[in-house]
Amino acid sequence: MNLHREFIFACDWGSEASSSNNNTPSNCEDQSTPGLCPAAHTNTGQDIMKRAAAKQLIERYFYQLLDGCGNPNCDNKYCASSGEARNLTPNEAAAEAIKLFYKEARLCDSLPNKVPRTEANACDSSASTTCTTSKSKDITDNKEELQSGESSIENHESTSQTPETSQNKSQQDDHKTPSHNNGAPLTEERICQLCDECLRSKAPQPLIRALGEAFTQPAILARCFQSKLRLDSDSSGGKNTDKESKAMCSSSDPDKDVDSVAGPELDVVSCRKAFGYLAKVPSEYYSSALVTALTTLAENMEIDLRITKKMSIEDAVNCFVIAFEVPDLGCSDYLEIALPALCHAAEHLPVKAQAKLARVWAQHCKDSLRHILETLQQLITLRVISTNYTRHFQLQDDESVTLATKLMKIVYYANMLAGVMESNTLREEPVVIASQLDPLGDALDHLYPLSSMKNSKQSQPDDPLAIELDINVLDARKPYLPFEEFYNEPLSDTIEMDIDFANYKTEISNGKKFAFLKYPFILTAATKSLGLYYENRIRMYSERRVSLLHAVVGAAPPMPFLRLKVRRSHLIDDALVELEMVAMERALDLKKQLVVEFEGEQGVDEGGVSKEFFQLIVEEIFNPDYGMFTHQPDSHTVWFNPTSFETEAQFTLIGIVLGLAIYNNVILAVNFPMVVYRKLTGKKGSFEDLADWNPILYNGLKYMLEYEANDLEEVFYQTFRICYQDVFGNTIFHDLQENGDSMFVTQENKKEFVDLYADFLLNKSVETQFKAFRRGFVMVTDESPLAALFRPEEVETLVCGSKNFDFNELEKSTEYDGGYTSESQTIKDFWSIVHSLSLDDKRKLLQFTTGSDRVPVGGLSHLKLVIARNGPDCDRLPTAHTCFNVLLLPEYESKEKLQDRLMKAISYSKGFGML
């Protein structure tokens, strides 16, 4: 009988013993007893010696509690030979032994006869420790221990129990307590039976043993909670049925894959019911033991997936589905130990297994998606806020965070599949921009590989999991959970984007380092915009160096910037003419830093003049009198004029202006409907896009789709000929089908009518104008990871800024200079006046101080306004350095005078008072 192995088994599965390990945190700094620390993974000689010493002491406590020291006069209350000690089961003794070890309780001098000699033990202490999370544990010993642990405990109970405990055991046998599974998979009925018995007898050992047997061995867990169909086929001994099932599992049809995993094999509903019943049992009875079991399960799965490669895709998927259906354990060890171990095992899932898991979660576990996501978010947040990251240990080096992010990607795709998906055939034709050869630029890029942006389109290859699932975020019309729930704000606030961006762009010798930019769903739009800013700035600097190198060799005059010299009275003509010349001669110059100069005005453009330029040009371009865009009165948006007299080149130049605004980190006051941003990122407009394009038309068509009566023709009296008005009020007719005027809309063809109607309004009627517009936009952004990092909703935020005008955030983030502090009376009066302003006046204040009336991505807290004292009381108006967001404010003598001067300044600021 291997007493050492018996003791480990008792420690692992004793509920109180396992819970006692909670006293040692997972990030334990004190490694004096590393064998007991769940997070210890070291294998140094010193650690091995410490583990061996710790095990010896705990074993002595264990047998002292269970068998005593043999001294009839013993006065040690922690010894079974004294009259003070109570009778303990092996599980209880294991738990108490660990507690006594931590307390350094008294040990008897004489040892009980059954204490094993550690040096004579066949189990190598370096290969097996009481730390259940140690990755150095030998797989063979681990499996042996799990298989023989139960019989060894039973043998020990039969040989070393006191008469009282033997009597208790007999009484339990009389009650027909559910015995061990002996390797049989769990079922809903068995879980219910074990839970009932646990609640009745207050003895959790049978439940713990059953969970332990199943959850430590992937081969057993994968067969748990099988459907009735599968069980019946197995009991009939039909090998042909099993072969058919395996053939279905390997089928290339995604639907058959899902059914084969979660249909005839795994009954998710039964699994969920069983765990719902388990949740009725107090978690302290089983939580710690289940954490240990899940950790062991993850380690064994990792070995099977990474080393032995003997685990099938179906078994791996079933194990993960069941593991994440486990109810909330309410145990910190789950987040600190078990969940990171499961994430580590999930990293080794092949792409086909990841895709299958995403499909199963999407089709059969929709109700669990939020719980899985929240659990992963808790793990990431806990690690981020509790860890002090440095340059030597960065956020990207924390495996608990990075592996949880990788697993969250599977949940992300499952969330899209579980929602409303559109056809992946509605794609805009790709815009091809002819590349321009630049030998000097190529040579410079060879010298500065990090600054090479020419191949940035390939820097983010298509995600293999997305390819396997044949899924694109553009097709997700309505995900099951909002995309915003995948943001992790603590992580986004903590991440050092310069480091992450370098990882994103650079390959190191041993492979690619982890970059959160490759998992953009977890980052807020504000954080990703910083990564885009780095990308664009490096591109600008690269073009500047190329230009200077051209000048050095005499190839061309130096043009380090994209300079636009415009007149305020002819703003559109001057800007579009100059941009057209640049686009025709050398389109690469569009990727240089923009510098704007207003003719006849002094000022150096450090960003503020460009902001004003974009603000003014947008106001004119989208003016209805200009005729390029029309206003939608219901949605207060602008749309392309299908009957515009402007040339395609004009729309191309408007696209260039929009692209330049993003490229130069300028927010615009444009009011496009969301369908424009979807089309810019490559998705054609469809019926659902009419909701914010023309709400009245959308509601009318939706009512037609929902109308089920047989008199649809008489009620709507609609044919396949539609009419619309141009900007001059003329009515124009268009047939959606040939001879559309004679084809009435019926119950059978109403869906076709709606789709054709939406396609004409959003795509075909403005195809020429939008294609030219998108071409101009792509000319600037083609080498940017814009589409890879941002969803269409985020691109809108990137272009238009946030819609949250929270000036309390601005007040908290504002800095002061020149003698002002937050306690200065002038500052208090200033904020009192600002908070009382109307929204229009607040916009004017932003326009005056920053050059833009839009809120930056992430809110006003990201604006970083500076208010500086500009001398004592005087009659001068406030001024502003818009390039640096600095407001120069004299120290006015009264609040009334401050309000008067401020309102005059912000009301008459264009071309005056802004430097």
Side-chain angles (χ1 to χ4, degrees):
M1 179 176 61
N2 193 329
L3 297 178
H4 177 71
R5 181 173 296 152
E6 173 191 343
F7 169 74
I8 291 178
F9 190 87
C11 279
D12 284 346
W13 304 123
S15 61
E16 293 184 20
S18 298
S19 63
S20 68
N21 284 341
N22 296 345
N23 296 330
T24 305
S26 63
N27 54 353
C28 178
E29 295 291 333
D30 181 8
Q31 297 295 328
S32 61
T33 56
L36 294 174
C37 179
H41 296 298
T42 57
N43 265 331
T44 63
Q46 185 180 6
D47 288 339
I48 293 172
M49 292 175 64
K50 289 179 179 178
R51 289 194 191 103
K55 284 163 56 181
Q56 273 190 327
L57 288 173
I58 294 175
E59 286 171 349
R60 289 183 62 184
Y61 284 119
F62 174 76
Y63 291 106
Q64 180 175 285
L65 288 167
L66 203 61
D67 302 324
C69 65
N71 182 6
N73 300 321
C74 180
D75 59 350
N76 185 356
K77 64 179 181 179
Y78 302 120
C79 179
S81 297
S82 70
E84 299 179 33
R86 61 188 180 90
N87 294 326
L88 300 174
T89 65
N91 287 329
E92 292 171 339
E96 191 66 19
I98 296 176
K99 294 178 182 178
L100 296 181
F101 170 78
Y102 283 125
K103 292 195 301 184
E104 297 183 354
R106 175 185 169 188
L107 272 170
C108 296
D109 293 333
S110 58
L111 302 179
N113 295 329
K114 294 183 181 180
V115 174
R117 302 300 178 189
T118 305
E119 63 271 15
N121 199 312
C123 182
D124 186 0
S125 63
S126 65
S128 174
T129 72
T130 56
C131 176
T132 59
T133 62
S134 173
K135 298 187 184 300
S136 62
K137 192 170 188 177
D138 183 81
I139 181 173
T140 305
D141 287 348
N142 185 29
K143 289 183 177 179
E144 254 183 22
E145 179 180 306
L146 292 170
Q147 291 169 357
S148 65
E150 192 150 315
S151 60
S152 59
I153 281 191
E154 290 175 350
N155 291 338
H156 184 72
E157 287 177 351
S158 64
T159 57
S160 63
Q161 282 184 333
T162 61
E164 289 81 4
T165 56
S166 300
Q167 183 178 358
N168 291 338
K169 186 175 185 300
S170 300
Q171 291 175 356
Q172 289 180 358
D173 291 340
D174 292 341
H175 284 296
K176 296 183 179 179
T177 302
S179 59
H180 312 318
N181 267 346
N182 293 325
L186 292 175
T187 62
E188 177 186 350
E189 293 76 14
R190 178 160 180 76
I191 289 288
C192 294
Q193 182 185 12
L194 288 165
C195 290
D196 287 338
E197 178 60 29
C198 179
L199 291 172
R200 185 188 64 79
S201 66
K202 306 299 182 184
Q205 285 82 3
L207 175 62
I208 290 171
R209 288 169 181 159
L211 293 174
E213 289 172 356
F215 275 87
T216 54
Q217 302 178 65
I220 296 179
L221 187 63
R223 299 197 308 274
C224 292
F225 308 109
Q226 293 179 358
S227 66
K228 302 291 186 186
L229 177 63
R230 175 72 181 193
L231 290 174
D232 292 343
S233 64
D234 284 350
S235 62
S236 65
K239 294 182 180 180
N240 293 334
T241 306
D242 189 53
K243 289 182 180 179
E244 289 175 6
S245 176
K246 290 184 178 180
M248 290 175 66
C249 291
S250 60
S251 170
S252 59
D253 187 345
D255 294 332
K256 288 185 178 179
D257 278 352
V258 174
D259 293 339
S260 67
V261 174
E265 287 191 6
L266 176 61
D267 189 342
V268 178
V269 175
S270 177
C271 174
R272 191 170 295 142
K273 287 180 180 179
F275 286 137
Y277 212 87
L278 179 64
K280 298 178 182 179
V281 179
S283 61
E284 58 267 20
Y285 280 6
Y286 63 86
S287 61
S288 294
L290 195 50
V291 165
T292 303
L294 287 170
T295 306
T296 306
L297 171 73
E299 292 172 357
N300 290 336
M301 287 185 65
E302 181 181 348
I303 292 171
D304 289 344
L305 290 169
R306 181 168 61 90
I307 300 176
T308 63
K309 300 186 183 302
K310 67 178 183 180
M311 175 174 278
S312 67
I313 288 177
E314 292 74 23
D315 285 356
V317 170
N318 286 356
C319 287
F320 275 107
V321 171
I322 295 172
F324 280 97
E325 287 294 328
V326 172
D328 187 7
L329 296 175
C331 175
S332 62
D333 280 356
Y334 176 72
L335 285 178
E336 296 176 1
I337 303 174
L339 186 57
L342 288 170
C343 295
H344 204 287
E347 183 189 21
H348 302 287
L349 284 174
V351 175
K352 288 187 179 295
Q354 294 180 35
K356 193 182 292 279
L357 179 59
R359 292 191 185 106
V360 173
W361 272 343
Q363 184 169 343
H364 300 279
C365 307
K366 287 184 180 181
D367 296 337
S368 301
L369 283 178
R370 175 170 270 111
H371 170 70
I372 298 171
L373 176 60
E374 289 177 349
T375 303
L376 293 172
Q377 291 283 34
Q378 285 178 348
L379 168 60
I380 294 172
T381 302
L382 177 66
R383 289 291 303 177
V384 168
I385 65 177
S386 63
T387 305
N388 183 24
Y389 295 106
T390 65
R391 285 283 173 173
H392 301 291
F393 182 68
Q394 302 159 2
L395 182 59
Q396 292 82 355
D397 298 325
D398 192 338
E399 280 198 346
S400 294
V401 176
T402 59
L403 295 180
T405 303
K406 291 181 179 180
L407 181 56
M408 193 186 294
K409 182 176 71 172
I410 302 177
V411 183
Y412 178 70
Y413 287 130
N415 181 56
M416 287 191 282
L417 291 172
V420 179
M421 296 292 293
E422 286 187 333
S423 170
N424 58 5
T425 59
L426 296 175
R427 288 281 188 270
E428 293 283 354
E429 293 183 5
V431 178
V432 179
I433 305 297
S435 60
Q436 299 187 22
L437 298 178
D438 190 347
L440 290 176
D442 293 338
L444 198 67
D445 290 335
H446 178 70
L447 295 175
Y448 301 96
L450 182 60
S451 66
S452 176
M453 297 292 110
K454 285 188 169 62
N455 295 323
S456 62
K457 285 178 287 187
Q458 288 80 32
S459 63
Q460 172 114 347
D462 292 333
D463 182 13
L465 180 55
I467 296 173
E468 181 70 25
L469 289 169
D470 192 20
I471 190 173
N472 190 298
V473 68
L474 294 175
D475 301 326
R477 172 58 63 178
K478 185 179 180 182
Y480 185 74
L481 301 175
F483 283 124
E484 291 75 16
E485 292 193 20
F486 284 83
Y487 293 154
N488 189 290
E489 294 188 2
L491 184 146
S492 299
D493 294 340
T494 303
I495 189 173
E496 296 186 48
M497 187 47 67
D498 57 339
I499 296 174
D500 200 74
F501 179 76
N503 292 350
Y504 177 69
K505 300 297 296 184
T506 309
E507 291 187 9
I508 58 176
S509 58
N510 60 344
K512 296 179 180 179
K513 290 200 68 174
F514 185 89
F516 287 100
L517 284 175
K518 293 181 180 177
Y519 302 84
F521 54 82
I522 199 173
L523 300 175
T524 61
T527 302
K528 288 185 287 190
S529 68
L530 185 57
L532 185 66
Y533 173 80
Y534 286 139
E535 173 92 15
N536 295 339
R537 285 291 164 177
I538 292 177
R539 178 76 234 188
M540 291 176 185
Y541 297 151
S542 176
E543 289 297 329
R544 191 180 304 176
R545 286 195 292 269
V546 171
S547 178
L548 294 175
L549 188 56
H550 274 282
V552 169
V553 300
M559 295 178 60
F561 302 100
L562 173 61
R563 292 189 177 275
L564 296 181
K565 189 173 183 178
V566 296
R567 297 168 292 174
R568 285 185 182 270
S569 57
H570 299 80
L571 187 65
I572 297 292
D573 294 338
D574 292 350
L576 297 187
V577 167
E578 290 201 37
L579 288 175
E580 186 174 14
M581 292 178 60
V582 172
M584 291 175 60
E585 293 178 1
R586 190 175 185 272
L588 285 175
D589 286 348
L590 294 173
K591 296 180 174 62
K592 295 178 178 178
Q593 184 176 351
L594 178 65
V595 175
V596 177
E597 179 185 344
F598 286 106
E599 190 173 289
E601 298 182 17
Q602 294 182 351
V604 178
D605 187 8
E606 292 290 343
V609 180
S610 298
K611 292 179 185 177
E612 186 184 7
F613 162 76
F614 280 112
Q615 190 78 18
L616 295 175
I617 201 170
V618 163
E619 287 179 4
E620 291 198 34
I621 286 176
F622 293 99
N623 190 321
D625 297 336
Y626 204 72
M628 296 185 70
F629 294 90
T630 61
H631 280 254
Q632 302 289 106
D634 299 325
S635 59
H636 304 290
T637 57
V638 294
W639 186 246
F640 302 90
N641 181 5
T643 58
S644 173
F645 296 112
E646 302 296 332
T647 63
E648 292 183 32
Q650 296 290 86
F651 283 97
T652 298
L653 295 174
I654 303 304
I656 290 176
V657 169
L658 187 67
L660 285 175
I662 294 179
Y663 192 64
N664 289 271
N665 201 33
V666 177
I667 296 173
L668 299 180
V670 297
N671 294 310
F672 282 130
M674 180 56 63
V675 64
V676 171
Y677 301 103
R678 290 176 64 83
K679 287 168 70 68
L680 278 176
T681 51
K683 181 75 173 182
K684 286 185 177 181
S686 60
F687 168 66
E688 292 296 333
D689 291 308
L690 293 174
D692 61 288
W693 185 81
N694 190 330
I696 295 178
L697 175 63
Y698 172 78
N699 291 329
L701 294 175
K702 188 176 181 181
Y703 178 68
M704 176 188 290
L705 289 175
E706 295 173 349
Y707 192 81
E708 299 294 340
N710 295 325
D711 58 348
L712 184 142
E713 284 187 58
E714 292 77 15
V715 172
F716 290 92
Y717 203 73
Q718 175 66 51
T719 66
F720 273 70
R721 171 174 289 182
I722 61 170
C723 64
Y724 61 96
Q725 290 185 336
D726 61 12
V727 291
F728 305 107
N730 300 320
T731 300
I732 301 175
F733 294 93
H734 175 77
D735 285 353
L736 298 176
Q737 293 272 35
E738 189 176 352
N739 300 322
D741 191 33
S742 60
M743 183 185 299
F744 280 87
V745 177
T746 64
Q747 286 288 2
E748 289 73 25
N749 62 19
K750 64 181 180 180
K751 180 66 168 62
E752 179 187 9
F753 168 77
V754 168
D755 289 339
L756 289 173
Y757 197 177
D759 181 53
F760 172 76
L761 293 176
L762 300 177
N763 302 314
K764 292 182 178 178
S765 66
V766 294
E767 183 175 6
T768 301
Q769 294 85 348
F770 180 79
K771 189 174 181 179
F773 172 78
R774 185 170 179 236
R775 177 177 175 79
F777 181 79
V778 172
M779 287 176 71
V780 184
T781 61
D782 63 326
E783 296 178 343
S784 166
L786 182 70
L789 297 180
F790 297 89
R791 291 179 287 105
E793 298 84 358
E794 294 172 322
V795 174
E796 181 190 30
T797 304
L798 204 63
V799 173
C800 303
S802 172
K803 299 178 182 179
N804 183 18
F805 281 80
D806 188 349
F807 273 71
N808 290 318
E809 288 186 5
L810 180 61
E811 181 178 359
K812 292 177 183 177
S813 64
T814 298
E815 299 176 357
Y816 304 97
D817 195 12
Y820 279 147
T821 68
S822 60
E823 298 300 320
S824 301
Q825 187 59 44
T826 302
I827 297 301
K828 291 182 178 180
D829 293 341
F830 172 81
W831 288 114
S832 175
I833 294 168
V834 169
H835 291 311
S836 65
L837 295 177
S838 64
L839 181 59
D840 287 341
D841 287 337
K842 288 180 178 179
R843 286 184 179 274
K844 291 179 181 179
L845 176 62
L846 287 177
Q847 175 74 48
F848 177 74
T849 54
T850 69
S852 172
D853 66 350
R854 315 297 288 187
V855 178
V857 181
L860 287 172
S861 61
H862 290 72
L863 193 57
K864 305 304 179 186
L865 178 67
V866 177
I867 302 179
R869 185 177 182 272
N870 193 25
D873 176 56
C874 61
D875 292 331
R876 289 179 299 163
L877 296 177
T879 55
H881 294 293
T882 56
C883 301
F884 310 104
N885 298 341
V886 177
L887 174 63
L888 302 174
L889 191 66
E891 193 171 6
Y892 297 111
E893 63 181 3
S894 66
K895 180 178 180 180
E896 292 74 19
K897 188 174 183 179
L898 170 61
Q899 184 168 6
D900 175 71
R901 298 296 187 272
L902 182 64
M903 294 305 297
K904 286 181 179 178
I906 67 176
S907 299
Y908 309 102
S909 62
K910 289 186 179 179
F912 174 78
M914 298 194 299
L915 306 177

